[in-house]
Amino acid sequence: YSYHIHSTFSDGKNSPEEIVLVAIENGFVAIGFSDHGFTNYDLRYCMKDQTGYINEIKKLKEKYKNQIQIYLGVEEDAFHPLNRNDFDYIIGSCHYGFCNNNYYPIDSNYDYFKKCLEAFGNDHLAFAESYYSNFCEYITNRKPDIIGHFDLITKFDEMGETLFLGDTDYIKISEKYTKEALKSGSIFEINTGAIARGLRTTVY
């Protein structure tokens, strides 16, 4: 099973039905679609047609109910919560650094990440403190079913200069906020996305 799956409704490469058929072919018992929820501050990769998405997943649930269990989820960004009642579950993720009233994407590519770091004066510890503080405030208040790639800020840490994973001060910050997030009772996902893209050799 897998519950973190993106389709062409957001930034995935395959339609939901194509994904369902491959899952069945590979012996999956259950899958959950979790396309990126709408974010009004960044329209590049998020879902634009939420109603169409919900209707399509519900249709596939019924069509393939005797072959696989399908769940209707969403990956919402910490800065843009959605209507929880529309979905079977939510993955709560933080894809942005927030500084000077601007949202800086950190997941898209290395150049965007570096722009975000520059907004924090290239102080990676200040960035980490801000990122985790914002994310944990969301987690504490929202209590998402699943916490998505909690340490996403380390995505590019094996490209060029290593900023986070080899820094004991960063580890202390990340451990502090991990313990804080644990209090929510939410599930921490093990995410292999960066490995699949050849960016990391270890999981989030």
Side-chain angles (χ1 to χ4, degrees):
Y1 52 83
S2 176
Y3 301 123
H4 194 148
I5 297 175
H6 298 174
S7 75
T8 47
F9 275 95
S10 61
D11 61 346
K13 295 181 179 179
N14 295 90
S15 70
E17 186 158 23
E18 288 173 331
I19 293 168
V20 169
L21 292 173
V22 170
I24 293 171
E25 182 182 339
N26 284 275
F28 276 62
V29 174
I31 59 171
F33 287 94
S34 57
D35 273 288
H36 284 289
F38 180 76
T39 49
N40 58 6
Y41 40 81
D42 186 358
L43 302 177
R44 291 172 303 124
Y45 74 105
C46 67
M47 203 187 316
K48 314 297 191 305
D49 180 12
Q50 180 174 296
T51 300
Y53 168 74
I54 290 172
N55 291 339
E56 177 67 10
I57 304 307
K58 286 182 176 179
K59 183 187 79 174
L60 296 174
K61 271 189 178 194
E62 180 63 24
K63 183 175 180 179
Y64 294 100
K65 65 183 180 181
N66 294 325
Q67 296 170 270
I68 191 170
Q69 180 68 53
I70 298 172
Y71 294 97
L72 169 60
V74 69
E75 183 179 11
E76 70 177 16
D77 189 74
F79 294 108
H80 201 294
L82 305 170
N83 184 353
R84 196 166 192 158
N85 294 328
D86 289 336
F87 305 98
D88 295 327
Y89 68 96
I90 58 171
I91 298 176
S93 300
C94 189
H95 302 94
Y96 300 87
F98 185 69
C99 185
N100 298 322
N101 291 317
N102 289 312
Y103 297 94
Y104 293 90
I106 61 171
D107 191 26
S108 302
N109 59 55
Y110 193 37
D111 289 335
Y112 278 114
F113 171 81
K114 287 190 292 185
K115 287 181 181 177
C116 179
L117 195 58
E118 288 171 5
F120 285 91
N122 288 312
D123 184 339
H124 66 288
L125 296 179
F127 171 37
E129 182 72 35
S130 173
Y131 174 82
Y132 284 120
S133 176
N134 285 325
F135 198 3
C136 279
E137 181 179 0
Y138 158 83
I139 291 168
T140 298
N141 294 328
R142 182 68 159 163
K143 294 181 174 57
D145 301 291
I146 301 169
I147 298 170
H149 41 57
F150 186 64
D151 54 343
L152 181 66
I153 60 173
T154 65
K155 178 173 183 172
F156 302 107
D157 219 41
E158 294 182 29
M159 296 177 59
E161 180 184 4
T162 298
L163 296 174
F164 301 109
L165 298 176
D167 187 328
T168 55
D169 289 328
Y170 162 75
I171 298 299
K172 291 177 183 176
I173 293 171
S174 65
E175 287 183 348
K176 176 180 72 172
Y177 284 108
T178 299
K179 291 175 181 176
E180 186 65 30
L182 277 167
K183 296 176 185 177
S184 69
S186 301
I187 297 169
F188 277 78
E189 74 168 359
I190 303 298
N191 186 303
T192 60
I195 297 175
R197 293 172 177 81
L199 300 172
R200 286 278 301 271
T201 57
T202 54
V203 299
Y204 295 124

